[in-house]
Amino acid sequence: MSIKHLRPELWARANRHLAAKALAEFAHERLLTPIPHGDEFAVRAAGTEYRFAARLFALDHWQIDPDSVSRARDGVRLPVDAVDLILDLRDTLGISSTVLPVYLEEITSTLAGLAYKLDRPPVDLSTAGFQAIETGMTEGHPCFVANNGRLGYSLSDFHEYAPEAANPVRLTWIAVHRSVSAFTSCSDVTYDSLIASELDPSTLERFTASLDDPGDYHLMPVHPWQWRNRVAVTFAGEIAHRRIVHLGDGDDLHQAQQSVRTFYNVSAPDRHYVKTALSVLNMGFLRGLSAEYMQATPAINEWLAGLIADDPVLAKTGLTILRERAAIGYRHPQYAQAAPKGSPYRKMLAALWRESPVVAPGEQLTTMAALLHEDLAVQWITRSGLPAAEWLRRYLDAYLTPLLHCFYAYELVFMPHGENVILVLDERAVPVRAIFKDIAEEIAVMDPDLPLPAEAERIRVNVPDELKLLSLFTDVLDCFFRFLAPRLEPVLPEASFWQEVAACVRDYQSANPALAARFAKYDVFAERFDLSCLNRLQLRNNQQMVDLTDPSGSLQLVGTLANPLHTAQRGGGGV
């Protein structure tokens, strides 16, 4: 397997980029306090000084020029190295001796992935297809420094399964005995209809020929890495007892998405995405899938799809979701007894089928993460022929308005980061609507009185009133708009960006006077809001960042941020 991306010049570029990002995000989270030093800023720790040029934007956002970063000790210049940066700052970061080595491994893996991306030939993504954009992303999560750890992947695994490798993959299929597996689905699909739609007749015949009594089993796709490294080993007894039967590879080619464990069917794009369990450590979690969660997944998706379809405000925005229409989970009888709820040992064998997006002729699909990719958003604005503020408003109407309405009408929140949202652009590259995905594991209802079907009750969470609006402040303003505003600066001043966001909120509120009491209770124009720190979560525990049963209790809140919407509402800029 090629290691040509691991060469000095690319490694140096990757380290400068990641060191700049680390200094910026750690300063944002107030783990560091850069000190002005002439035209630069300085950070000193463990006898080492870092200097860099930076611009400050709203929300305490540091935009650091990677080429300006320097490192010195006792007056001697040293190479800029992201791993050494973490070592220099370990006391400042408060990272424990238990977490530190694993975190360094995640940093190194992130660097290797970045070097691989930097080694790719440049591609014009402004007119590219959906999957070319998906695999062309370079940054990963904009807030997390160690955002591409994927610990557990070998070099060959990286070339086979990393999204940026864009390597077509055939999924492994197994048969799981119905006595230890559970299949659930939305009301418009059955097990038989799903399998018939996902597998060609010849493939289905090949698979069932391996079974003595096919009616005793569910057929299930598995990530090939998971089959080799977990199922074939940890579930060896289940295989020996024929509760799991290996069927072989499917015939369709799939492509890994940014989320690593989800696959898009490139052979038959009208077929479902497949999301699989993957016991690889990536950005604060082992990326398994809970068999217990899978059982309720279709019911949650069906409830949400119905709510969106019946709400005239949401219908007007064009919002849709990619329903997770069916799911299957395997309950290992011994690990189910031994492992507590939430343990990775209960998340090793499950899968779900998610709808594939459908667009009209002339429309283009893109991951929303593309808006933060280099100057791609500026290219689309230029191509559209619209003034930048108008293009931005079209985007906000498609993305932000549905989020506002879901929060204020239902206290329903999403995890609407770039990878979880698909934008639909028209033939001029103007945003026309948004598609939300990754529903059942990411949404939450904070209203204790909102009616929910019994099967969907697990998405209800108990969050103090004073923290509820953080879902918008943190996930939208701080974790996405904070990065988007500087990206658009070549065509739209930052102050105008925040004024346009404020105008979108005002127009939504004016159009929905029945919700005025909630607008007052949860004031999105408040002068300040709590700073919720994501890297602090990972630095504290990079194998289980958040207790999923109590997400608000896991928050790391450090001071407050000035709300740019407050300033914009008063007619000023965003800073």
Side-chain angles (χ1 to χ4, degrees):
M1 287 293 174
S2 173
I3 55 169
K4 70 182 183 67
H5 58 290
L6 300 179
R7 56 185 192 268
E9 66 275 17
L10 287 180
W11 195 248
R13 282 179 62 194
N15 272 278
R16 284 192 169 278
H17 178 90
L18 195 60
K21 177 172 182 173
L23 289 165
E25 289 308 298
F26 293 156
H28 173 72
E29 296 191 10
R30 298 168 188 176
L31 288 158
L32 307 176
T33 305
I35 301 167
H37 194 283
D39 294 334
E40 297 181 312
F41 292 88
V43 168
R44 299 182 182 92
T48 305
E49 180 179 76
Y50 290 85
R51 291 191 189 177
F52 49 87
R55 290 184 61 195
L56 284 172
F57 290 83
L59 296 168
D60 289 359
H61 180 64
W62 292 76
Q63 188 178 72
I64 296 176
D65 176 8
D67 290 334
S68 74
V69 178
S70 66
R71 175 175 176 243
R73 184 180 297 129
D74 299 325
V76 178
R77 289 285 291 263
L78 300 171
V80 175
D81 183 292
V83 174
D84 283 336
L85 172 68
I86 303 302
L87 289 171
D88 290 340
L89 298 175
R90 63 180 140 185
D91 292 335
T92 304
L93 299 177
I95 188 168
S96 72
S97 58
T98 302
V99 171
L100 180 60
V102 181
Y103 190 73
L104 295 182
E105 189 178 2
E106 292 180 280
I107 291 289
T108 302
S109 183
T110 299
L111 287 167
L114 181 55
Y116 179 90
K117 295 168 191 174
L118 293 173
D119 195 38
R120 296 183 301 193
V123 177
D124 179 9
L125 296 180
S126 65
T127 57
F130 180 34
Q131 289 305 296
I133 296 173
E134 181 76 18
T135 60
M137 298 296 96
T138 56
E139 187 53 53
H141 196 291
C143 297
F144 285 102
V145 176
N147 62 16
N148 279 298
R150 303 166 189 169
L151 301 191
Y153 272 2
S154 66
L155 178 64
S156 60
D157 294 331
F158 175 87
H159 283 286
E160 282 191 83
Y161 307 127
E164 57 268 29
N167 187 52
V169 174
R170 286 186 168 89
L171 300 181
T172 300
W173 281 77
I174 61 176
V176 291
H177 201 274
R178 294 188 180 218
S179 64
V180 284
S181 63
F183 174 87
T184 52
S185 64
C186 292
S187 59
D188 61 347
V189 65
T190 64
Y191 170 77
D192 290 335
S193 68
L194 176 79
I195 295 300
S197 69
E198 290 297 296
L199 298 175
D200 292 335
S202 59
T203 309
L204 181 57
E205 183 178 357
R206 173 165 61 92
F207 286 167
T208 55
S210 304
L211 303 172
D212 296 331
D213 189 347
D216 288 345
Y217 292 89
H218 292 123
L219 304 189
M220 178 180 181
V222 181
H223 194 298
W225 186 96
Q226 192 75 356
W227 165 254
R228 292 196 307 266
N229 293 277
R230 287 293 180 269
V231 181
V233 179
T234 309
F235 289 70
E238 301 301 285
I239 297 170
H241 290 296
R242 298 280 292 180
R243 288 190 284 268
I244 296 176
V245 179
H246 180 242
L247 303 176
D249 291 345
D251 292 318
D252 286 354
L253 293 174
H254 291 75
Q255 187 166 292
Q257 303 295 279
Q258 293 173 77
S259 61
V260 183
R261 56 181 169 165
T262 302
F263 290 93
Y264 180 86
N265 192 320
V266 293
S267 295
D270 56 327
R271 287 179 171 169
H272 292 78
Y273 284 91
V274 178
K275 185 173 182 177
T276 58
L278 184 63
S279 299
V280 165
L281 182 65
N282 193 54
M283 213 167 68
F285 293 101
L286 278 170
R287 296 291 162 171
L289 278 183
S290 164
E292 289 86 356
Y293 271 33
M294 289 306 97
Q295 195 154 359
T297 287
I300 294 168
N301 279 260
E302 192 154 39
W303 167 79
L304 181 58
L307 181 146
I308 291 172
D310 293 341
D311 187 293
V313 175
L314 296 176
K316 186 178 179 181
T317 69
L319 175 70
T320 56
I321 64 168
L322 297 183
R323 289 183 303 158
E324 293 152 349
R325 298 179 72 215
I328 188 167
Y330 190 96
R331 288 187 173 86
H332 192 297
Q334 293 161 327
Y335 286 114
Q337 294 181 62
K341 188 175 182 180
S343 165
Y345 283 95
R346 300 176 73 144
K347 300 179 180 181
M348 288 190 286
L349 191 50
L352 66 80
W353 288 266
R354 177 191 296 152
E355 289 174 316
S356 191
V358 177
V359 294
E363 291 182 331
Q364 175 186 2
L365 292 171
T366 176
T367 170
M368 195 175 78
L371 298 186
L372 305 184
H373 178 77
E374 298 177 354
D375 64 346
L376 191 48
V378 172
Q379 291 184 54
W380 280 331
I381 291 171
T382 302
R383 180 177 141 201
S384 75
L386 295 177
E390 185 176 343
W391 190 97
L392 175 63
R393 181 55 189 267
R394 301 280 190 93
Y395 160 68
L396 294 171
D397 288 343
Y399 169 68
L400 180 59
T401 299
L403 293 172
L404 291 168
H405 188 66
C406 286
F407 176 83
Y408 284 112
Y410 307 107
E411 293 191 16
L412 165 66
V413 295
F414 299 81
M415 188 67 72
H417 55 65
E419 188 276 321
N420 266 358
V421 178
I422 296 171
L423 294 179
V424 181
L425 310 179
D426 67 14
E427 67 281 354
R428 295 183 301 154
V430 178
V432 292
R433 57 190 174 89
I435 304 171
F436 292 173
K437 63 184 181 70
D438 231 357
I439 299 302
E441 286 198 298
E442 302 282 19
I443 68 169
V445 170
M446 299 181 290
D447 184 346
D449 301 316
L450 183 70
L452 286 174
E455 303 95 319
E457 192 61 36
R458 75 163 170 81
I459 65 173
R460 196 187 307 276
V461 295
N462 182 23
V463 177
D465 281 350
E466 64 272 16
L467 296 180
K468 287 180 178 178
L469 199 52
L470 271 182
S471 62
L472 292 176
F473 284 144
T474 298
D475 296 334
V476 180
L477 270 63
D478 192 38
C479 291
F480 200 80
F481 289 174
R482 171 165 67 92
F483 298 90
L484 181 58
R487 285 287 182 198
L488 298 188
E489 254 229 326
V491 293
L492 187 70
E494 184 192 23
S496 299
F497 175 94
W498 290 109
Q499 286 165 0
E500 206 61 43
V501 177
C504 178
V505 177
R506 285 196 305 269
D507 289 348
Y508 164 71
Q509 293 184 344
S510 296
N512 295 275
L515 297 172
R518 286 198 171 186
F519 299 152
K521 182 177 181 179
Y522 304 113
D523 182 12
V524 77
F525 293 109
E527 187 172 356
R528 304 188 71 86
F529 61 84
D530 290 329
L531 169 59
S532 182
C533 301
L534 302 188
N535 284 285
R536 285 177 181 262
L537 293 173
Q538 193 175 13
L539 292 167
R540 179 181 63 185
N541 183 346
N542 56 352
Q543 301 192 49
Q544 182 70 36
M545 282 195 312
V546 175
D547 179 356
L548 296 177
T549 65
D550 181 24
S552 65
S554 303
L555 296 176
Q556 289 272 297
L557 304 178
V558 181
T560 62
L561 291 171
N563 182 2
L565 295 186
H566 175 78
T567 307
Q569 169 74 338
R570 298 170 62 189
V575 181

mmCIF file of all heavy atoms in Angstrom, residues 12 24 34 75 77 161 303 305 336 397 400 406 411 490 564:
data_model
loop_
_atom_site.group_PDB
_atom_site.id
_atom_site.type_symbol
_atom_site.label_atom_id
_atom_site.label_comp_id
_atom_site.label_asym_id
_atom_site.label_seq_id
_atom_site.Cartn_x
_atom_site.Cartn_y
_atom_site.Cartn_z
ATOM 1 N N ALA A 12 5.173 18.561 6.553
ATOM 2 C CA ALA A 12 5.355 19.898 7.116
ATOM 3 C C ALA A 12 4.101 20.748 6.904
ATOM 4 O O ALA A 12 3.667 21.470 7.811
ATOM 5 C CB ALA A 12 6.575 20.568 6.478
ATOM 6 N N ALA A 24 -5.823 27.936 17.261
ATOM 7 C CA ALA A 24 -7.046 28.718 17.104
ATOM 8 C C ALA A 24 -8.183 28.178 17.969
ATOM 9 O O ALA A 24 -8.860 28.933 18.685
ATOM 10 C CB ALA A 24 -7.467 28.735 15.633
ATOM 11 N N PRO A 34 -3.541 33.794 23.884
ATOM 12 C CA PRO A 34 -2.472 34.395 23.077
ATOM 13 C C PRO A 34 -2.218 35.843 23.493
ATOM 14 O O PRO A 34 -3.149 36.607 23.774
ATOM 15 C CB PRO A 34 -3.019 34.310 21.649
ATOM 16 C CG PRO A 34 -4.022 33.188 21.679
ATOM 17 C CD PRO A 34 -4.642 33.276 23.045
ATOM 18 N N GLY A 75 15.390 30.609 22.316
ATOM 19 C CA GLY A 75 15.860 31.375 21.172
ATOM 20 C C GLY A 75 16.205 30.552 19.951
ATOM 21 O O GLY A 75 16.620 31.098 18.919
ATOM 22 N N ARG A 77 15.049 28.177 16.862
ATOM 23 C CA ARG A 77 13.869 27.809 16.093
ATOM 24 C C ARG A 77 13.753 26.289 16.006
ATOM 25 O O ARG A 77 14.743 25.573 15.790
ATOM 26 C CB ARG A 77 13.952 28.396 14.676
ATOM 27 C CG ARG A 77 13.784 29.902 14.610
ATOM 28 C CD ARG A 77 12.332 30.329 14.812
ATOM 29 N NE ARG A 77 11.484 29.964 13.711
ATOM 30 C CZ ARG A 77 11.155 30.802 12.725
ATOM 31 N NH1 ARG A 77 11.617 32.049 12.715
ATOM 32 N NH2 ARG A 77 10.351 30.399 11.755
ATOM 33 N N TYR A 161 -11.047 2.046 2.935
ATOM 34 C CA TYR A 161 -12.304 2.494 3.550
ATOM 35 C C TYR A 161 -12.378 3.977 3.919
ATOM 36 O O TYR A 161 -13.457 4.455 4.272
ATOM 37 C CB TYR A 161 -12.579 1.660 4.814
ATOM 38 C CG TYR A 161 -12.534 0.179 4.587
ATOM 39 C CD1 TYR A 161 -11.719 -0.642 5.376
ATOM 40 C CD2 TYR A 161 -13.284 -0.414 3.586
ATOM 41 C CE1 TYR A 161 -11.667 -2.010 5.173
ATOM 42 C CE2 TYR A 161 -13.238 -1.789 3.371
ATOM 43 C CZ TYR A 161 -12.422 -2.582 4.163
ATOM 44 O OH TYR A 161 -12.377 -3.932 3.954
ATOM 45 N N TRP A 303 -42.076 9.159 12.776
ATOM 46 C CA TRP A 303 -42.714 10.251 13.519
ATOM 47 C C TRP A 303 -42.223 11.607 13.016
ATOM 48 O O TRP A 303 -43.025 12.515 12.753
ATOM 49 C CB TRP A 303 -42.414 10.110 15.014
ATOM 50 C CG TRP A 303 -42.777 11.353 15.782
ATOM 51 C CD1 TRP A 303 -44.019 11.743 16.183
ATOM 52 C CD2 TRP A 303 -41.870 12.402 16.183
ATOM 53 N NE1 TRP A 303 -43.954 12.964 16.831
ATOM 54 C CE2 TRP A 303 -42.652 13.391 16.835
ATOM 55 C CE3 TRP A 303 -40.498 12.589 16.071
ATOM 56 C CZ2 TRP A 303 -42.090 14.551 17.365
ATOM 57 C CZ3 TRP A 303 -39.936 13.743 16.588
ATOM 58 C CH2 TRP A 303 -40.724 14.704 17.233
ATOM 59 N N ALA A 305 -40.774 12.397 10.123
ATOM 60 C CA ALA A 305 -41.204 12.656 8.743
ATOM 61 C C ALA A 305 -42.650 13.138 8.711
ATOM 62 O O ALA A 305 -42.998 14.047 7.950
ATOM 63 C CB ALA A 305 -41.034 11.399 7.894
ATOM 64 N N ALA A 336 -24.680 -9.337 26.162
ATOM 65 C CA ALA A 336 -25.852 -8.609 26.661
ATOM 66 C C ALA A 336 -25.981 -8.763 28.169
ATOM 67 O O ALA A 336 -26.466 -7.865 28.864
ATOM 68 C CB ALA A 336 -27.113 -9.112 25.966
ATOM 69 N N ASP A 397 -32.697 30.631 4.600
ATOM 70 C CA ASP A 397 -34.108 30.236 4.542
ATOM 71 C C ASP A 397 -34.248 28.714 4.462
ATOM 72 O O ASP A 397 -35.184 28.138 5.022
ATOM 73 C CB ASP A 397 -34.789 30.881 3.327
ATOM 74 C CG ASP A 397 -35.008 32.379 3.508
ATOM 75 O OD1 ASP A 397 -34.950 32.862 4.653
ATOM 76 O OD2 ASP A 397 -35.234 33.061 2.492
ATOM 77 N N LEU A 400 -31.497 27.538 8.192
ATOM 78 C CA LEU A 400 -31.714 28.072 9.536
ATOM 79 C C LEU A 400 -33.191 28.141 9.905
ATOM 80 O O LEU A 400 -33.554 27.809 11.046
ATOM 81 C CB LEU A 400 -31.085 29.462 9.649
ATOM 82 C CG LEU A 400 -31.234 30.169 11.007
ATOM 83 C CD1 LEU A 400 -30.617 29.330 12.120
ATOM 84 C CD2 LEU A 400 -30.618 31.557 10.956
ATOM 85 N N CYS A 406 -38.346 24.250 14.332
ATOM 86 C CA CYS A 406 -38.373 23.003 15.098
ATOM 87 C C CYS A 406 -38.112 23.283 16.580
ATOM 88 O O CYS A 406 -38.738 22.680 17.457
ATOM 89 C CB CYS A 406 -37.350 22.019 14.546
ATOM 90 S SG CYS A 406 -37.825 21.273 12.969
ATOM 91 N N GLU A 411 -39.554 22.363 20.499
ATOM 92 C CA GLU A 411 -38.348 22.105 21.302
ATOM 93 C C GLU A 411 -37.638 20.852 20.796
ATOM 94 O O GLU A 411 -37.129 20.030 21.554
ATOM 95 C CB GLU A 411 -38.666 22.021 22.799
ATOM 96 C CG GLU A 411 -39.128 23.349 23.378
ATOM 97 C CD GLU A 411 -39.207 23.375 24.890
ATOM 98 O OE1 GLU A 411 -38.630 22.486 25.529
ATOM 99 O OE2 GLU A 411 -39.862 24.286 25.433
ATOM 100 N N PRO A 490 -14.481 37.419 1.311
ATOM 101 C CA PRO A 490 -14.101 38.010 0.016
ATOM 102 C C PRO A 490 -15.272 38.623 -0.745
ATOM 103 O O PRO A 490 -15.058 39.490 -1.602
ATOM 104 C CB PRO A 490 -13.506 36.813 -0.747
ATOM 105 C CG PRO A 490 -12.994 35.899 0.326
ATOM 106 C CD PRO A 490 -13.988 36.027 1.439
ATOM 107 N N PRO A 564 -23.202 37.648 18.280
ATOM 108 C CA PRO A 564 -23.199 38.581 17.143
ATOM 109 C C PRO A 564 -24.598 38.946 16.673
ATOM 110 O O PRO A 564 -24.786 39.987 16.047
ATOM 111 C CB PRO A 564 -22.427 37.822 16.063
ATOM 112 C CG PRO A 564 -22.519 36.385 16.451
ATOM 113 C CD PRO A 564 -22.581 36.353 17.946
#
